Amino acid sequence: MAPKPKFKVTNPAYDVNDSVLVHQCGAMLEIDDPDRTVRGLIALLDGSRTVEEIEQAFRERHPGSDFDVRAAVTQFDEAGVIEDADAPTTLTPYELERFKRNLGFFETYASLTANKYAMQERIKDCKVTLLGVGGVGSYVSLSLLGAGVRDLKVVDFDKVELSNLNRQILYSEADIGQPKIEAAVNRLQGYYADAKITGVEQRLTSVADIENVITGRDFVFCAVDRPKMHVIQWVNEACVRAGVPFIGGGVELQRSVIYLVIPGVTGCTQCWRLARADDEDTHILREQMEARHLENTGIGPDMAAFGPLVSVLNSLMVTDFVRFMTNIAPPIAAGRLIETRFDDMSTRQAEQWDRLPGCSVCGDIPPPSLAS
Ligand SMILES: [Zn+2]
């Protein structure tokens, strides 16, 4: 099917003196148009015609003009201001309405060949497991449904406490003392009735526990941090072996941090540990610290968890998930630790690591096939 170019409603064009001004994201594209041919072309870019039909109609309206219509359409496409009005979709009328504003966002990345509906469909078709519905998981679960995820499995074992309510926005005062998983599933199902929300009430204590809840899933969010250090290694091992990408992170006092592991592509968290153990003394100290964590003798309760930093963390995580799933832009946290610090609210790379060929977890994992 030949595309039918349409000037994007998200990039309004203004007729100003001898120019056309196109409003883009924080910028203005100015096109000289003293003879009004560009305006004549834009008027034809209403999504009802193919490029051939646009050229024909333009010649009828501007006889004698040597304006290169096809080249101009190509330039508009390269500038990101037109899309294909005939782009197919499997989204239902309900989904088109529910995710209208997402589609408006994806439209800014659409072109004559990039379909905004397909971007939303990729999110819709992604089966996600979210480990932990505490502070981070509260925001992430709602954001994922808002982004359009339709199949969400949530895992937790805790009960709702009064001190959760500074940030755990899934819960209300009436839920205090109740299992989080029940309250979370009810809240999430109420937010998006058509979504398949599965709750698993379980404490994660091993790689096998995690394998049980991520098998057959497309993406995992790790929003659990207990037992410290070990749970990340378990999630890493289970996800890498299953070939499932996962994003993890947390709020650490005054900063939010995220990282993304793509099995077979980025280094895993074991590669990260090895990269950090750059000398023997550091390695021994880390081993000893981790042993204390396992014994629970060197660790106090988490006292700091500032809600706004938790929501920043959620934004970074879900944004990177959307970038990864839709390919609209490369994920920022692949093989990197990205931090947002409260002191200046800057977001930057704090650490980076490569895939280590001899890694005991991901060393023998092949890259994802192009077909998958
Ligand atoms: Zn590795």
Side-chain angles (χ1 to χ4, degrees):
M1 287 275 287
K4 291 185 172 171
K6 181 185 174 194
F7 214 84
K8 295 178 184 177
V9 292
T10 45
N11 294 144
Y14 303 96
D15 182 350
V16 179
N17 302 326
D18 284 344
S19 300
V20 174
L21 297 179
V22 183
H23 188 252
Q24 293 184 298
C25 185
M28 196 70 83
L29 176 68
E30 183 172 358
I31 308 166
D32 287 338
D33 189 30
D35 58 2
R36 307 186 69 80
T37 47
V38 174
R39 272 160 277 204
L41 173 59
I42 289 174
L44 294 168
L45 295 171
D46 62 0
S48 67
R49 304 169 183 82
T50 63
V51 177
E52 195 177 335
E53 289 164 345
I54 289 166
E55 191 170 26
Q56 196 177 355
F58 185 89
R59 298 281 165 244
E60 287 166 10
R61 293 186 188 186
H62 302 84
S65 169
D66 60 356
F67 186 67
D68 190 339
V69 170
R70 282 176 187 267
V73 170
T74 301
Q75 282 181 339
F76 275 154
D77 198 28
E78 287 168 356
V81 297
I82 56 176
E83 61 173 334
D84 178 12
D86 255 6
T89 181
T90 58
L91 297 175
T92 64
Y94 173 86
E95 289 163 344
L96 290 171
E97 182 63 22
R98 178 163 185 136
F99 301 114
K100 190 188 254 182
R101 298 299 191 271
N102 290 356
L103 291 165
F105 171 70
F106 292 136
E107 182 180 300
T108 64
Y109 289 95
S111 69
L112 293 185
T113 50
N115 176 347
K116 65 186 174 189
Y117 303 111
M119 300 169 193
Q120 185 69 56
E121 287 160 10
R122 279 184 216 126
I123 295 172
K124 173 186 169 184
D125 294 339
C126 185
K127 298 184 181 69
V128 177
T129 289
L130 166 61
L131 305 172
V133 277
V136 178
S138 279
Y139 283 97
V140 165
S141 56
L142 289 165
S143 292
L144 288 176
L145 298 188
V149 167
R150 251 178 74 97
D151 186 334
L152 179 63
K153 181 180 287 187
V154 290
V155 185
D156 209 303
F157 68 93
D158 237 342
K159 289 189 165 52
V160 180
E161 298 174 17
L162 178 59
S163 65
N164 298 155
L165 298 187
N166 74 318
R167 67 199 186 284
Q168 301 195 11
I169 58 169
L170 275 180
Y171 312 114
S172 64
E173 291 179 2
D175 296 320
I176 292 171
Q178 300 302 310
K180 281 186 181 173
I181 209 72
E182 267 176 41
V185 170
N186 286 338
R187 172 83 174 91
L188 295 169
Q189 203 68 75
Y191 184 53
Y192 191 1
D194 283 354
K196 180 183 175 192
I197 311 290
T198 311
V200 179
E201 188 164 15
Q202 187 182 2
R203 186 191 290 265
L204 299 170
T205 59
S206 65
V207 175
D209 284 351
I210 292 157
E211 280 172 348
N212 285 339
V213 291
I214 64 145
T215 299
R217 312 301 284 175
D218 301 308
F219 200 93
V220 170
F221 281 76
C222 178
V224 284
D225 60 359
R226 297 281 175 146
K228 279 241 188 289
M229 297 189 180
H230 296 278
V231 73
I232 305 301
Q233 300 304 330
W234 296 336
V235 171
N236 180 63
E237 191 169 334
C239 286
V240 168
R241 298 217 182 284
V244 181
F246 77 97
I247 195 161
V251 170
E252 185 188 271
L253 304 178
Q254 295 180 358
R255 67 172 189 163
S256 294
V257 295
I258 68 162
Y259 57 89
L260 169 63
V261 172
I262 308 168
V265 177
T266 70
C268 71
T269 64
Q270 178 66 4
C271 297
W272 183 11
R273 288 176 81 219
L274 295 172
R276 281 174 146 192
D278 47 5
D279 65 67
E280 191 63 16
D281 289 346
T282 311
H283 187 65
I284 291 168
L285 282 175
R286 282 195 174 276
E287 294 278 311
Q288 290 175 342
M289 194 170 76
E290 289 178 20
R292 297 294 176 278
H293 279 310
L294 190 62
E295 295 159 7
N296 265 340
T297 56
I299 187 165
D302 286 329
M303 295 305 290
F306 186 51
L309 275 180
V310 177
S311 70
V312 165
L313 176 61
N314 157 66
S315 303
L316 293 172
M317 287 174 120
V318 177
T319 299
D320 231 23
F321 162 75
V322 169
R323 292 163 75 102
F324 176 74
M325 289 309 302
T326 61
N327 285 323
I328 57 177
I332 59 166
R336 308 199 297 167
L337 186 74
I338 301 294
E339 67 172 15
T340 302
R341 283 190 168 271
F342 185 81
D343 50 6
D344 62 2
M345 285 313 286
S346 65
T347 296
R348 60 195 162 214
Q349 175 179 312
E351 295 182 47
Q352 182 273 331
W353 60 96
D354 295 319
R355 196 175 171 204
L356 295 182
C359 173
S360 59
V361 178
C362 75
D364 58 353
I365 302 294
S369 72
L370 292 174
S372 67

